[in-house]
Amino acid sequence: MADETRGQLFFKAIFERNPITVLVLGICSALAVTGHMATALVMSVCLTMVTAVASSIISLLRERIPNTVRIGIQITIIATLVILVDQVLKAYFYELSRQLSIYVGLIITNCIVMGRAEGFAMSNPPDKAFLDGLGNGLGYSFILMSVAFCRELFGAGTLFGVTVLPLVSRDGWYQGNGLMLLPASAFFLVALLIWLLREIYPSQKERG
Amino acid sequence: MAKESTPKTVLTVLLLALVCSTLVAGTAVGLRDRQEANQRLDEMKNILVAADLYQSGADIEALFATVETRIVRLEDGSFVPPEELAPAEFNQLKAALDPELGRKLPADQDLAGLGRRENYSLVYLVRENGELAKVVLPIRGRGVWSMMFGYVALDRDLNTVAGATFYRHGETPGLGGEIENPRWLAGWQDKKIYDEEGQPALRVIKGEAPAGEEGRHRIDGISAATRTLDGVSDLLQFWFGDHGFKPFLERHRDGIMEEGGSDHGR
């Protein structure tokens, strides 16, 4: 890990070491907000911002954070950032903040943010931590958007709310897949993505 | 890692807490005006949605200006002249808590779990070519976790539901939170509030409401939202009952257009 270039660090976090498909972190929100692409996009942007900034700040302070209370301090920093994002959303993107409802608040407990803070930012310089946070955020976003694309397209026949496949119930020809509208369908889609990424990166497979 | 000593740890934690809380408090205060403006806009939008006047992308404030805002005395249902209480400055929720403008509800009357009820309520009149077309009434009541706020629009006969919205609540997203789902709310349309005896009869049932006449007082249930919907049924009972809008609706069932026109002085 130590001799990786910054570029590798960044891109590996998106695909090869993707937090959702390899570490299986952040599954809860991957199920919850992927019914529509618009909400998934906002959630992705928020989480990427929070992860990148939180990792940088924690990395900057890493020499000063007492080891005994480091988790508490990480949580405090992350929670502060999330509340700021939530407040800004409420002020400038009211409709979206209503749709995301509690999930923005739940970024605080999103394992990816904590995982990167504890696993990477605490032992690496700020610029690397920033890239790592950004990469992991984008990796999360990539999965979220892929899942949301399938769920919205096959469940509701729309993409970003624009009708692509006209539904039978609205005088079209497409019979919407009810399962795709339910959060549980994201399990199947995430599993398929894990399979796909493992075929591309055989190193992800367990030996034996 | 820093050298660890208890005072240093405590100091770090305190310092961090101070910085973080200043940031959070600063943002909350700094953005409050905008957030409240958004909330007011959202209320206007929901009134328009309930009355089926809303067009996406349209200027909400301009659209809302076509709606006539009035204040009624809930006790007898009469309109309060704007000189006495100005609708633009009237805060209904604060009024409920005010000793002069609100009163405590005894437990047997308090179907919606409000605790206190204001003596005056805002109502919104929608006119088409000068004639009353719809009345939008604010409703609220306790769900499982939270107070649920919404609007019900009634047709000219003051009995048929023209539309409904819920715009603020803290029910579980995906379960009780589905009360704000427009598809479910569309099912409220054309339902009748009062039965033959003039009692509020509209309520949400389990499962699907029967079609046609049989289901005219019944709204479809939502699975996994039963207790929230019980709250919705209760708040309908309350707000269309004797301590809600019933006196207002009965008083104006025949003549709202005349009175609305005559003391129209806005």
Side-chain angles (χ1 to χ4, degrees):
Chain A
M1 266 204 21
D3 47 2
E4 270 178 359
T5 66
R6 286 174 168 69
Q8 277 175 329
L9 188 74
F10 178 68
F11 286 108
K12 280 197 170 178
I14 301 182
F15 299 110
E16 206 172 334
R17 280 199 298 266
N18 186 289
I20 294 187
T21 59
V22 179
L23 308 175
V24 199
L25 295 178
I27 289 290
C28 14
S29 53
L31 302 187
V33 300
T34 47
H36 300 281
M37 288 195 83
T39 46
L41 180 67
V42 178
M43 187 68 180
S44 301
V45 172
C46 293
L47 186 113
T48 307
M49 266 163 42
V50 169
T51 316
V53 178
S55 280
S56 318
I57 295 177
I58 287 163
S59 169
L60 268 176
L61 298 173
R62 71 187 188 283
E63 309 280 343
R64 308 204 157 271
I65 296 176
N67 203 29
T68 41
V69 291
R70 65 180 197 283
I71 302 282
I73 286 184
Q74 288 164 12
I75 281 282
T76 312
I77 292 172
I78 294 165
T80 308
L81 288 169
V82 170
I83 294 170
L84 294 187
V85 168
D86 193 32
Q87 293 286 331
V88 170
L89 280 181
K90 273 193 188 135
Y92 295 96
F93 302 96
Y94 190 76
E95 272 303 301
L96 279 170
S97 83
R98 282 186 37 130
Q99 280 174 29
L100 290 169
S101 60
I102 56 169
Y103 298 112
V104 173
L106 285 178
I107 294 178
I108 299 173
T109 55
N110 190 309
C111 331
I112 297 173
V113 191
M114 268 296 285
R116 290 338 284 172
E118 171 71 7
F120 194 88
M122 282 301 280
S123 49
N124 283 285
D127 60 325
K128 275 190 166 183
F130 176 79
L131 281 177
D132 177 74
L134 196 67
N136 275 282
L138 290 174
Y140 171 85
S141 309
F142 164 64
I143 301 294
L144 235 67
M145 296 311 288
S146 315
V147 173
F149 176 84
C150 297
R151 284 188 58 192
E152 192 177 340
L153 183 65
F154 298 118
T158 59
L159 287 177
F160 285 105
V162 179
T163 305
V164 179
L165 309 172
L167 286 180
V168 174
S169 55
R170 296 203 191 126
D171 303 328
W173 52 268
Y174 180 66
Q175 179 68 49
N177 183 334
L179 175 67
M180 285 294 165
L181 294 174
L182 300 174
S185 64
F187 273 125
F188 299 105
L189 294 168
V190 170
L192 288 173
L193 282 165
I194 292 178
W195 183 17
L196 179 74
L197 284 173
R198 282 180 168 222
E199 287 307 315
I200 300 175
Y201 302 106
S203 63
Q204 289 180 2
K205 290 184 190 164
E206 291 84 2
R207 273 180 218 100
Chain B
M1 292 293 149
K3 283 201 189 65
E4 310 253 331
S5 69
T6 310
K8 214 175 153 186
T9 305
V10 173
L11 189 73
T12 317
V13 171
L14 281 179
L15 211 68
L16 184 83
L18 191 71
V19 172
C20 288
S21 50
T22 315
L23 266 176
V24 168
T27 326
V29 172
L31 295 176
R32 184 177 297 154
D33 286 343
R34 257 199 100 87
Q35 292 175 353
E36 280 176 1
N38 279 334
Q39 255 177 33
R40 272 194 300 279
L41 215 58
D42 190 48
E43 285 168 19
M44 288 182 198
K45 185 187 142 187
N46 275 280
I47 293 166
L48 294 171
V49 169
D52 200 20
L53 291 177
Y54 179 70
Q55 301 138 13
S56 72
D59 182 359
I60 291 171
E61 282 180 54
L63 266 181
F64 188 72
T66 63
V67 176
E68 187 183 332
T69 307
R70 303 291 298 267
I71 292 180
V72 294
R73 191 175 284 112
L74 288 173
E75 210 62 46
D76 58 3
S78 61
F79 283 112
V80 178
E83 302 85 66
E84 206 179 310
L85 274 176
E89 282 141 41
F90 182 69
N91 184 326
Q92 195 162 343
L93 295 179
K94 275 194 186 146
L97 301 174
D98 188 294
E100 305 255 308
L101 298 173
R103 71 179 171 93
K104 195 173 164 7
L105 288 170
D108 60 318
Q109 293 175 11
D110 193 9
L111 298 170
L114 302 179
R116 290 181 65 87
R117 190 213 69 188
E118 58 280 14
N119 295 334
Y120 304 92
S121 174
L122 291 162
V123 297
Y124 306 90
L125 311 183
V126 179
R127 291 175 189 282
E128 272 164 23
N129 308 323
E131 279 192 20
L132 184 93
K134 279 167 194 166
V135 179
V136 184
L137 306 170
I139 51 170
R140 66 178 194 278
R142 188 151 281 288
V144 179
W145 308 112
S146 64
M147 196 56 90
M148 309 179 284
F149 296 83
Y151 294 102
V152 171
L154 298 182
D155 273 332
R156 186 195 309 258
D157 66 356
L158 303 185
N159 187 24
T160 308
V161 177
T165 60
F166 283 97
Y167 62 96
R168 199 181 326 145
H169 64 82
E171 301 301 295
T172 317
L175 306 178
E178 287 296 296
I179 53 168
E180 59 176 85
N181 187 332
R183 260 194 282 175
W184 178 66
L185 290 162
W188 287 48
Q189 255 170 32
D190 299 328
K191 301 289 177 188
K192 310 283 182 201
I193 303 272
Y194 294 104
D195 61 15
E196 286 73 23
E197 280 90 56
Q199 293 306 311
L202 186 63
R203 54 184 307 115
V204 186
I205 59 164
K206 266 193 179 180
E208 230 170 279
E213 267 304 276
E214 210 184 322
R216 66 188 187 282
H217 300 308
R218 299 286 175 261
I219 299 169
D220 291 352
I222 302 173
S223 63
T226 309
R227 285 208 296 142
T228 299
L229 296 178
D230 286 346
V232 173
S233 296
D234 289 345
L235 75 88
L236 287 173
Q237 284 287 317
F238 177 81
W239 284 105
F240 291 105
D242 296 329
H243 304 288
F245 291 112
K246 194 176 167 191
F248 166 71
L249 295 174
E250 286 194 336
R251 184 181 180 125
H252 298 290
R253 186 148 291 146
D254 309 311
I256 190 167
M257 286 161 272
E258 288 77 42
E259 181 162 353
S262 64
D263 59 75
H264 184 183
R266 280 213 303 160

